């Protein structure tokens, strides 16, 4: 055992929380799979379990591989990865998958392995690193808005625009996270306000355009509007079907829950193994289970803050916050949807929900946080210089 | 801009704090959902996802006396077709084979089905009727047809099952077999045996809690039913299918011939009161007949002359008259106050004995006997009738038994002429079954039995309850009176002047009484005046086995209306067929056929065949057949010339067999 653990560097608490969440995830995923198998008629329960195990195994491979990479390598990596992800996003969108006329181009089919891959998740991580890098680079300068327009906001807007038509919530969360990161990175507040304003104006235009010319391009504007309307509309309408089922699940869970696998509502909640998994967890494991899960995410948040605190470099701090906070934020959004604190979104519960891309990209982010939490071999004031960084040249150019 | 680590951290704490607040909000909402709104949503969960299902028990079977099924529950299947769910290529490939298969199964042309299926497809009909009320074997076949074998989602097969009560014997005794029917408001109509013994047949519903797992899919909760369903018991009735069949068809033939309004036949086993047949036929507007109402049990009417038996028994019991008492029939016309009693024969019968008055069914004689005999104390006559239990219903389990009417003096409707009119069956009212019960009591030596329709209640092969004969009155009148009236009832048929003499045949000894009652006589409108023709009696007269009553209402007057003409033949034909069906046991004296020479020949052959022979025996005198078999068994070749017994053998007796190869036998 010691041998294995010796290879695991970085924050042990994060390792532990990640492993616990991953282990726990088998329970709800296995339970929810009965709905897919017996009601939807898709696969076998063992099959779903095995697939989940495989995804997690690959995920931990990713964590291990990423956390060995020296933190400052990510600066350069993000520069290479960003154009690639943008191309992938364009490709994804261009496929034009639709669900009942609404744009659902979120996935690309991975060749050979047969998994689908949600490119927006990758793009989010890459973009956060890129922004962190940029903020680090300009930390000493008195920055002008026009100066930051091209290197910062252009890539941000391109990525978000490419995600928006198919997945509003991911785009919105990413935008919010970029803003938070900029806020942390000392980007001037007045400019941030301007950007928010621009974002709102842009979104309004997008919605209006989609409404005015419904056939022009596939989008999910109608879905967003109805979801938001349902949320604000107090009564139980037809559209509240999902949320009502989630509330029934939570209410019938009680303090200790009905027991593993005993959920009833999993049969009626669409996406019971991903989007609404928190409601199912509470139904089966009760308030105790739900709060424990919340506790672990809060512990993760705490450790991320600790790691950010401990990391000596500005880039390290911003990187940890930039990729770490979205995990916790997404978890909270998922829970908030289940308790009707937030309109219905397609956000998964990181590490718990089934779904390859979500697991892998969470693992990627955690790997980066762990990398930043490693004890640096030699410390100098500010910048690590003893390690070769082949991408430093590239990083310096922009 | 000059960002420092502490600068970042301060802002990070702010953001992290914000996230903690967010988490707090989620927890608050969670607790609120469970505590404050918990009740509402938990109720909703029960409402949406749990339901108590009723498990219908299987209704028991109704059997006839000999074990034939009278009524049983069977599943019927209606097949419908969802033409939308089927894929276009599947539909195109299978529509013709399916149409052919349907055509072969149901006998309609294949293109009829093809059109039906294609039309459903074009009209996007999701509920097209293919076949209604199939039995199980047809249903199994249809399920395996092309396209339908793919099931409900891919093949569009819709199956609707319902349980119906089937009567394997069809219309026979349909009314007495009856039914139990619930309408939408939960009201029950209970008819006949099914209704009467519904408590046995029905069984008990089970309950099972189920949980919804998807639209239209329910999963049982737990292993056991909350209440196990209990199947209904089987009921074995006393109805005998053969007798029922005879009674039904005899009545039907007579009703058709006389174009009567309705009629009923009941056959009862004398010693036990078991009803062996009960048939009720009513006329439809088209002039056909079907089991319409249970007239036998439900319809109480003025019985007419069949009631003379009751009057006579009462009079004999009270010593008012004896059978030899002579009565003057007054030229068939006797005025009492302002009313007149008439005999059916113009001019009357002159001075006749009570015995003959009964045989010829004289109204005037009976009116005089009862009126004169009881006019001082009419209550005595009524009391006597009541003593014979004529005023009470028989207490049949079948709903709607008609109530008999026997008025007390002083009751509403009682008048000075009541005694005279009651004497020949007016101003009283009885159902055919009640009249029959009385006749049966006379046949049974005075013991009045409750008519029985049920023999036993069974659960599989176990008897749950057995029903024996029920005595309503151990002795309605003295054995002497029984003997006297039995003789008179026989004479009605056997004597030449008897009203039932037409029924007399040399091979049957029938006993009974005719009755021709008037109906709708109040308005004195001859158009409306109708008759009720009755014959009640038993057979064989000497040792009665069965009693039987036939009542025919409103026969066509132009064809005939007398009890002996209309109802008598039904009675006769029932008696004839029942008695003809009874096996006759006769013993022949044992005898042996003695033929000494045949025995001797056989003995001779048998003893020779048993010997182990070394030398050839003397075969002369033996039949050729025996000789050949003997020699061939010894391994010799035999040649036969002629027929009959052996006259000469080519090898003489005593020759060693090993020396002999071939023997020629000459027969004559």
């Amino acid at each position: 055992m010691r041998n294995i653990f010796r290879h695991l560097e970085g924050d042990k608490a994060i390792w532990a929380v990640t492993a616990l969440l991953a282990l726990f995830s088998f329970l709800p995923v296995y339970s929810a799979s009965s709905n897919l198998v017996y009601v939807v008629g898709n696969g076998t329960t063992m099959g779903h379990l095995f697939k989940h195990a495989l995804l997690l195994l690959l995920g931990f491979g990713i964590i291990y591989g990423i956390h060995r990479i020296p933190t400052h390598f990510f600066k350069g990596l993000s520069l290479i990865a960003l154009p690639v992800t943008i191309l992938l996003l364009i490709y994804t969108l261009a496929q034009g998958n639709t669900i009942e006329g609404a744009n659902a181009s979120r996935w690309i089919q991975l060749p050979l392995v047969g998994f689908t891959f949600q490119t927006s998740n990758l793009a989010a991580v890459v973009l956060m690193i890129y922004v962190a890098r940029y903020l680090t680079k300009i930390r000493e300068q008195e920055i002008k808005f026009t100066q930051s327009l091209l290197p910062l906001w252009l890539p941000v807007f391109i990525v978000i625009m490419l995600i928006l038509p198919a997945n509003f919530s991911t785009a919105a969360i990413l935008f919010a996270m970029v803003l938070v990161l900029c806020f942390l990175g000392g980007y001037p507040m007045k400019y941030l306000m301007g950007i928010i304003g621009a974002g709102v104006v842009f979104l309004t235009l997008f919605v209006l355009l989609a409404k005015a010319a419904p056939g022009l391009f596939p989008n999910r504007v109608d879905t967003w509007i109805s979801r938001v309307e349902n949320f604000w509309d107090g009564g139980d309408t037809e559209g509240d079907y999902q949320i009502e089922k989630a509330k029934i699940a939570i209410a019938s869970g009680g303090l200790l829950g009905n027991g593993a696998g005993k959920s009833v509502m999993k049969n009626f909640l669409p996406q019971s193994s991903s989007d609404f998994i928190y409601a199912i967890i509470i139904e089966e494991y009760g308030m105790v289970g739900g709060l424990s899960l919340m506790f672990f995410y809060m512990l993760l948040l705490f450790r991320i803050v600790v790691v950010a605190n401990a990391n000596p470099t500005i880039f390290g701090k911003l990187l940890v916050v930039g990729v770490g906070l979205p995990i916790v934020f997404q978890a909270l959004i998922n829970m908030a949807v289940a308790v009707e604190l937030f309109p219905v979104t397609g956000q998964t519960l990181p590490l718990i929900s089934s779904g390859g891309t979500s697991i892998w990209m969470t693992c990627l982010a955690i790997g980066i946080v762990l990398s930043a939490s490693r004890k640096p071999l030699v410390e100098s004031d500010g910048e690590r210089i003893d390690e070769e960084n082949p991408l430093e040249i590239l990083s310096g150019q922009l | 801009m000059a960002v420092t680590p502490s600068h970042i951290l301060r802002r990070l704490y702010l953001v992290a704090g914000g996230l903690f607040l967010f988490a707090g909000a989620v927890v608050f909402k969670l607790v609120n959902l469970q505590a404050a709104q918990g009740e509402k949503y938990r109720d909703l969960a029960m409402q949406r996802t749990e339901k108590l299902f009723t498990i219908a028990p299987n209704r028991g079977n109704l059997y006839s006396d000999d074990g034939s099924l009278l009524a049983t529950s069977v599943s019927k299947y209606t097949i419908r077709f969802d033409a939308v769910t089927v894929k276009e290529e599947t539909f195109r490939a299978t529509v013709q084979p399916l149409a052919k298969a349907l055509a072969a199964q149901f006998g309609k042309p294949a293109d009829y089905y093809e059109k039906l299926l294609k039309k459903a497809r074009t009209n996007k009909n999701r509920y097209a009727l293919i076949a209604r009320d199939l039995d199980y074997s047809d249903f199994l076949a249809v399920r395996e047809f092309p396209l339908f074998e793919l099931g409900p989602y891919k093949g569009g097969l819709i199956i609707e099952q319902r349980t119906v009560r089937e009567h394997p014997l069809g219309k026979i005794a349909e009314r007495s077999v009856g039914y139990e029917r619930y309408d939408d408001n939960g009201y029950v109509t209970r008819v006949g045996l099914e209704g009467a013994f519904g408590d046995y047949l029905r069984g008990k519903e089970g309950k099972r809690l189920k949980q919804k797992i998807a639209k239209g899919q329910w999963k049982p909760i737990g292993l056991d039913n909350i209440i196990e369903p209990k199947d209904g018991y089987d009921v074995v009735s006393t109805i005998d299918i053969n007798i029922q069949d005879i009674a039904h068809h005899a009545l039907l033939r007579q009703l058709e011939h006389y174009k009567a309004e309705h009629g009923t036949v009941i056959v009862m086993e004398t010693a036990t009161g078991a009803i062996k047949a009960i048939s009720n036929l009513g006329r439809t507007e088209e002039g056909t007949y079907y089991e319409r109402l249970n007239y036998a049990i439900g319809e109480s009417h003025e019985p007419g002359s069949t009631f003379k038996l009751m009057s006579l028994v009462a009079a004999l019991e009270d010593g008012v008259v004896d059978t030899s008492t002579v009565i003057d029939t007054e030229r068939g016309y006797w005025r009492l106050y302002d009313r007149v009693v008439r005999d059916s024969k113009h001019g009357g019968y002159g001075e006749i004995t009570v015995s003959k008055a009964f045989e010829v069914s004289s109204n005037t004689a009976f009116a005089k006997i009862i009126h004169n005999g009881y006019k001082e104390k009419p209550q005595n006559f009524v009391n006597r009738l009541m003593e014979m239990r004529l005023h009470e219903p028989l207490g049949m389990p079948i709903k709607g038994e008609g109530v008999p009417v026997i008025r007390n003096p002083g009751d509403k409707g009682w008048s000075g002429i009541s005694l005279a009119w009651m004497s020949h069956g007016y101003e009283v009212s009885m159902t055919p079954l009640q009249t029959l019960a009385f006749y049966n009591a006379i046949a049974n030596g005075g013991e009045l039995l409750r008519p029985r329709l049920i023999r036993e209640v069974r659960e599989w092969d176990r008897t749950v309850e057995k029903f024996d004969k029920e005595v309503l009155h151990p002795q309605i009148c003295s054995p002497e009176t029984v003997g006297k009236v039995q003789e008179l009832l026989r004479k009605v048929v056997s004597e030449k002047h008897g009203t039932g003499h037409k029924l007399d045949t040399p091979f049957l000894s029938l006993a009974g009484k005719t009755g021709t009652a008037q109906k709708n006589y109040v308005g004195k409108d001859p158009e409306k005046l109708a008759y009720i023709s009755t014959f009640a009696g038993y057979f064989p007269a000497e040792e009665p086995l069965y009693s039987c009553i036939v009542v025919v209402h409103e026969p066509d007057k132009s064809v005939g209306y007398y009890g002996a003409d209309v109802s008598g033949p039904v009675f006769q034909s029932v008696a004839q067929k029942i008695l003809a069906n009874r096996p006759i046991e006769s013993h022949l004296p044992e005898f042996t056929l003695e033929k000494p020479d045949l025995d001797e020949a056989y003995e001779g052959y048998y003893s020779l065949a048993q010997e182990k022979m070394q030398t050839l025996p003397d075969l002369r005198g033996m039949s050729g057949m025996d000789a050949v078999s003997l020699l061939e068994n010894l391994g010799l070749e035999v040649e036969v010339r002629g027929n009959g017994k052996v006259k000469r053998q080519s090898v003489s007796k005593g020759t060693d067999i090993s020396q002999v190869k071939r023997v020629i036998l000459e027969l004559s």
Side-chain angles (χ1 to χ4, degrees):
Chain A
M1 282 306 254
R2 267 200 165 284
N3 275 345
I4 299 170
F5 286 134
R6 211 179 52 208
H7 293 288
L8 305 181
E9 295 175 43
D11 191 280
K12 291 292 188 287
I14 293 180
W15 273 109
V17 168
T18 311
L20 273 173
L21 288 175
L23 278 178
F24 176 72
S25 73
F26 280 100
L27 295 172
V29 165
Y30 189 52
S31 171
S33 70
S34 75
N35 177 38
L36 289 175
V37 175
Y38 299 116
V39 180
V40 183
N42 172 13
T44 63
T45 48
M46 276 320 283
H48 285 287
L49 197 64
F50 186 73
K51 188 181 163 196
H52 188 64
L54 198 69
L55 292 176
L56 279 176
L57 205 67
L58 271 167
F60 274 85
I62 291 170
I63 298 180
Y64 183 78
I66 295 294
H67 100 289
R68 307 280 296 191
I69 298 172
T71 315
H72 56 280
F73 277 33
F74 293 112
K75 287 185 192 170
L77 280 172
S78 73
L79 285 177
I80 297 171
L82 191 65
V84 176
T85 45
I86 287 173
L87 285 177
L88 279 175
L89 282 173
I90 291 169
Y91 172 71
T92 311
L93 205 57
Q95 285 185 120
N97 290 336
T98 53
I99 299 172
E100 287 169 8
N103 194 336
S105 310
R106 299 180 182 179
W107 297 275
I108 54 170
Q109 189 81 31
L110 287 191
L112 303 174
V113 287
F115 285 139
T116 53
F117 190 84
Q118 202 169 338
T119 39
S120 56
N121 286 4
L122 176 67
V125 177
V126 170
L127 187 66
M128 291 309 281
I129 305 172
Y130 178 82
V131 172
R133 188 207 65 90
Y134 176 76
L135 291 170
T136 315
K137 194 171 160 246
I138 60 154
R139 69 185 186 277
E140 299 294 349
Q141 302 165 8
E142 204 56 54
I143 196 78
K144 282 219 168 59
F145 185 65
T146 44
Q147 279 178 309
S148 66
L149 210 56
L150 191 68
L152 177 64
W153 297 115
L154 184 67
V156 167
F157 271 93
I158 288 173
V159 169
I160 286 174
M161 264 185 62
L162 288 173
I163 296 173
L164 184 68
N167 197 339
F168 171 73
S169 61
T170 302
I173 289 171
L174 180 57
F175 186 55
M177 285 294 111
V178 167
L179 292 178
V180 166
L181 192 57
C182 288
F183 166 70
L184 293 175
Y187 191 77
M189 286 295 281
K190 52 184 176 183
Y191 297 162
L192 276 182
M193 289 303 172
I195 289 296
I196 292 172
V200 170
V201 168
F202 175 75
L203 182 67
T204 314
L205 280 175
F206 182 83
V207 170
L208 287 177
L209 185 63
K211 276 291 191 193
L216 190 61
F217 54 96
N219 59 70
R220 288 169 55 83
V221 171
D222 290 336
T223 313
W224 310 335
I225 291 173
S226 66
R227 280 180 176 178
V228 173
E229 274 175 357
N230 285 333
F231 178 71
W232 291 115
D233 176 24
D236 287 343
T237 58
E238 188 78 21
D240 286 338
Y241 174 82
Q242 297 189 7
I243 194 68
E244 188 197 85
K245 299 282 183 261
K247 280 154 91 177
I248 288 175
I250 289 169
S252 48
L255 189 63
L256 294 172
N258 294 334
K262 297 257 175 77
S263 165
V264 177
M265 300 316 293
K266 68 184 179 189
N267 297 309
F268 308 107
L269 268 175
Q271 304 300 327
S272 56
S273 66
S274 54
D275 299 0
F276 280 98
I277 202 160
Y278 193 58
I280 303 299
I281 289 170
I282 292 174
E283 192 184 357
E284 294 193 355
Y285 307 101
M287 177 81 83
V288 171
L291 291 184
S292 308
L293 196 61
M294 174 70 87
F295 169 77
F296 282 114
Y297 282 113
M298 290 300 108
L299 187 61
L300 189 64
L301 173 63
F302 175 68
R303 291 314 299 182
I304 286 167
V305 172
V306 169
V307 169
N309 206 350
N311 194 287
T313 66
I314 297 287
F315 176 66
K317 286 181 198 300
L318 289 178
L319 183 68
V320 166
V321 174
V323 299
L325 281 190
I327 299 175
V328 179
F329 191 61
Q330 194 188 329
L332 287 172
I333 292 283
N334 178 288
M335 296 174 180
V337 168
V339 297
E340 210 191 6
L341 197 63
F342 213 78
V344 176
T345 66
Q347 295 305 309
T348 54
L349 196 57
L351 286 169
I352 301 289
S353 296
S354 64
T357 324
S358 158
I359 290 174
W360 293 334
M361 290 309 115
T362 308
C363 287
L364 175 62
I366 284 173
I368 292 168
V369 172
L370 284 171
S371 158
S373 70
R374 287 196 301 170
K375 298 245 167 6
L377 297 173
V378 177
E379 282 187 29
S380 72
D381 52 352
E383 209 69 19
R384 254 178 288 177
I385 48 167
D386 54 327
E387 276 184 82
E388 280 286 304
N389 185 351
L391 299 167
E392 193 63 40
I393 303 133
L394 192 64
S395 177
Q397 297 306 308
L398 282 162
Chain B
M1 200 157 88
V3 176
T4 59
S6 64
H7 184 98
I8 293 177
L9 284 174
R10 245 181 289 133
R11 290 186 171 190
L12 177 58
Y13 293 150
L14 201 66
V15 171
L19 283 179
F20 274 115
L21 277 180
F22 188 15
V26 170
V27 171
F28 172 77
K29 194 75 178 161
L30 186 60
V31 173
N32 183 43
L33 258 180
Q34 284 211 335
Q37 291 175 278
E39 203 65 31
K40 173 186 157 196
Y41 283 105
R42 274 189 288 275
D43 284 352
L44 213 57
M46 292 287 275
Q47 223 178 75
R48 295 278 162 86
T49 63
E50 280 180 20
K51 200 163 135 186
L52 206 55
F53 279 75
T54 305
I55 312 170
N58 294 316
R59 194 176 170 88
N61 292 334
L62 187 64
Y63 290 101
S64 73
D65 186 42
D66 58 338
S68 309
L69 263 179
L70 290 175
T72 187
S73 292
V74 289
S75 288
K76 291 281 181 190
Y77 301 85
T78 295
I79 307 290
R80 289 175 188 274
F81 176 54
D82 178 352
V84 178
T85 185
V86 185
K87 278 201 188 108
E88 183 59 33
E89 58 263 35
T90 323
F91 183 76
R92 224 177 290 151
T94 52
V95 65
Q96 274 173 345
L98 175 61
K100 259 185 210 156
L102 285 168
Q105 187 80 19
F106 302 118
K108 281 183 191 161
D111 66 317
Y112 164 81
Y113 284 108
E114 198 178 326
K115 251 182 230 158
L116 183 92
L117 294 167
K118 282 188 172 159
K119 197 176 156 202
R121 180 85 179 171
T122 327
N123 296 343
K124 299 201 189 310
N125 188 345
R126 309 202 69 156
Y127 197 57
L129 180 68
I130 302 294
R132 197 184 284 280
D133 286 346
L134 301 183
D135 60 27
Y136 189 63
S137 57
D138 275 343
F139 159 68
L140 283 186
V142 170
R143 216 169 46 169
E144 300 302 319
F145 282 174
L147 187 61
F148 284 169
E149 66 194 355
L150 299 175
Y153 302 117
K154 289 179 180 164
L157 176 66
I158 300 169
I159 299 159
E160 288 162 352
Q161 187 264 358
R162 65 192 189 98
T163 307
V164 296
R165 204 71 177 152
E166 189 117 294
H167 301 139
L169 291 171
K171 298 284 170 203
I172 289 179
E174 197 184 23
R175 203 67 198 175
S176 293
V177 167
Y179 56 82
E180 189 171 50
R181 208 169 277 160
Y182 291 80
D183 71 1
D184 296 338
N185 301 323
Y187 290 112
V188 204
T189 322
R190 295 199 171 94
V191 172
L193 293 170
E194 286 264 17
F197 303 112
D199 287 342
Y200 293 117
L201 292 165
R202 216 172 295 131
K204 280 206 178 75
E205 281 180 346
K207 297 266 185 223
R208 160 143 257 191
L209 195 62
K210 287 192 182 180
Q211 192 178 66
K212 194 174 178 181
I213 56 167
K215 204 173 180 183
Q217 290 185 46
W218 296 80
K219 161 188 98 165
I221 301 177
L223 280 175
D224 299 315
N225 297 327
I226 291 176
I227 302 168
E228 282 296 328
K230 187 151 175 43
D231 287 351
Y233 294 133
D234 292 340
V235 170
V236 182
S237 76
T238 57
I239 301 284
D240 182 301
I241 287 305
N242 291 322
I243 300 178
Q244 178 71 40
D245 189 52
I246 293 164
H248 177 89
H249 286 105
L251 177 67
L252 181 62
R253 197 178 54 229
Q254 211 65 0
L255 290 177
E256 280 171 349
H257 184 253
Y258 283 96
K259 303 189 184 88
E261 210 281 322
H262 65 262
T264 179
V265 184
I266 315 164
V267 181
M268 194 156 121
E269 200 170 59
T270 304
T272 63
I275 293 176
K276 295 314 227 176
I278 181 164
S279 188
N280 299 284
L281 293 175
R283 190 181 168 93
T284 62
E285 294 199 354
E286 295 85 48
T288 55
Y289 292 88
Y290 75 112
E291 290 259 344
R292 212 171 69 185
L293 292 168
N294 208 333
Y295 306 112
I297 292 173
E299 191 182 36
S300 185
H301 60 87
E302 289 180 319
S305 296
T306 47
F307 198 77
K308 283 177 185 150
L309 178 67
M310 292 70 157
S311 307
L312 181 61
V313 169
L316 291 174
E317 281 292 281
D318 289 336
V320 173
V321 286
D322 198 6
T323 49
S324 55
T325 312
V326 175
I327 310 284
D328 184 1
T329 58
E330 312 256 352
R331 295 171 175 270
Y333 186 96
W334 186 52
R335 179 176 287 277
L336 184 62
Y337 302 105
D338 59 334
R339 300 283 295 275
V340 173
V341 185
R342 282 189 181 84
D343 276 331
S344 59
K345 186 184 170 193
H346 280 286
Y349 305 95
E351 292 196 356
I352 51 172
T353 59
V354 168
S355 169
K356 191 172 177 191
F358 187 78
E359 289 150 32
V360 300
S361 199
S362 165
N363 293 341
T364 49
F366 270 81
K368 284 176 90 174
I369 295 167
I370 301 301
H371 183 78
N372 294 335
Y374 291 98
K375 64 184 170 197
E376 308 301 329
K377 283 197 164 170
Q379 188 66 49
N380 284 359
F381 179 62
V382 174
N383 285 350
R384 178 59 66 183
L385 295 180
M386 288 185 174
E387 162 62 22
M388 295 189 291
R389 213 190 170 282
L390 286 168
H391 63 301
E392 272 178 70
L394 297 162
M396 296 299 291
I398 286 184
K399 281 252 154 68
E401 190 190 351
V403 183
V405 177
I406 304 282
R407 290 200 189 97
N408 276 303
D411 278 0
K412 190 169 177 259
W414 183 275
S415 70
I417 61 163
S418 285
L419 278 176
W421 258 255
M422 281 167 81
S423 74
H424 56 289
Y426 293 91
E427 295 199 10
V428 291
S429 177
M430 299 185 79
T431 66
L433 188 62
Q434 286 153 4
T435 304
L436 178 65
F438 187 86
Y439 275 74
N440 192 72
I442 296 300
N444 198 27
E447 189 183 42
L448 180 69
L449 301 176
R450 172 173 288 150
R452 291 187 303 132
L453 277 162
I454 175 172
R455 203 183 73 194
E456 66 177 309
V457 174
R458 286 202 310 223
E459 186 183 26
W460 305 109
D461 51 354
R462 185 175 70 86
T463 299
V464 175
E465 206 173 332
K466 225 176 162 67
F467 294 86
D468 291 319
K469 76 168 185 183
E470 280 178 81
V471 179
L472 289 176
H473 195 308
Q475 196 70 38
I476 54 168
C477 62
S478 67
E480 296 78 46
T481 306
V482 170
K484 284 175 191 166
V485 295
Q486 275 188 350
E487 199 189 323
L488 295 188
L489 285 166
R490 169 71 187 128
K491 279 182 172 172
V492 168
V493 180
S494 63
E495 290 292 322
K496 219 170 190 130
H497 57 252
T499 50
H501 187 63
K502 279 176 192 157
L503 310 178
D504 198 27
T505 62
F507 310 108
L508 296 170
S509 65
L510 308 178
K513 178 77 191 79
T514 57
T516 313
Q518 292 186 349
K519 190 176 175 181
N520 305 336
Y521 47 79
V522 177
K524 308 223 164 142
D525 176 1
E527 279 298 304
K528 277 195 181 157
L529 183 70
Y531 292 92
I532 304 169
S533 308
T534 312
F535 195 94
Y538 52 87
F539 52 85
E542 292 73 31
E543 36 180 326
L545 287 171
Y546 296 100
S547 53
C548 172
I549 188 167
V550 182
V551 181
V552 175
H553 281 249
E554 301 176 32
D556 190 333
K557 281 174 280 185
S558 60
V559 188
Y561 55 86
Y562 283 109
D565 298 331
V566 181
S567 293
V570 179
F571 180 89
Q572 188 195 35
S573 108
V574 166
Q576 198 166 1
K577 288 196 172 131
I578 290 175
L579 296 178
N581 275 341
R582 275 169 18 100
I584 298 168
E585 280 180 38
S586 30
H587 296 275
L588 292 174
E590 267 186 51
F591 70 101
T592 46
L593 194 66
E594 306 252 338
K595 243 190 152 206
D597 52 334
L598 200 67
D599 287 347
E600 204 176 298
Y602 180 76
E603 286 297 317
Y605 165 75
Y606 186 77
S607 58
L608 278 176
Q610 294 302 305
E611 277 175 44
K612 188 94 177 128
M613 276 173 289
Q614 301 299 318
T615 59
L616 203 67
D618 184 0
L619 297 167
R620 281 173 301 172
M622 191 180 250
S623 84
M625 201 170 60
D626 289 348
V628 168
S629 95
L630 257 178
L631 293 180
E632 282 190 342
N633 282 340
L634 290 170
L636 301 174
E637 250 179 77
V638 188
E639 198 186 315
V640 184
R641 290 174 190 160
N643 276 317
K645 289 183 176 170
V646 177
K647 208 171 83 186
R648 195 176 301 148
Q649 55 192 93
S650 66
V651 182
S652 59
K653 70 162 185 177
T655 317
D656 197 332
I657 282 171
S658 59
Q659 311 269 308
V660 185
K661 264 194 86 175
R662 187 179 163 85
V663 179
I664 300 167
L665 296 177
E666 272 182 45
L667 311 181
S668 66

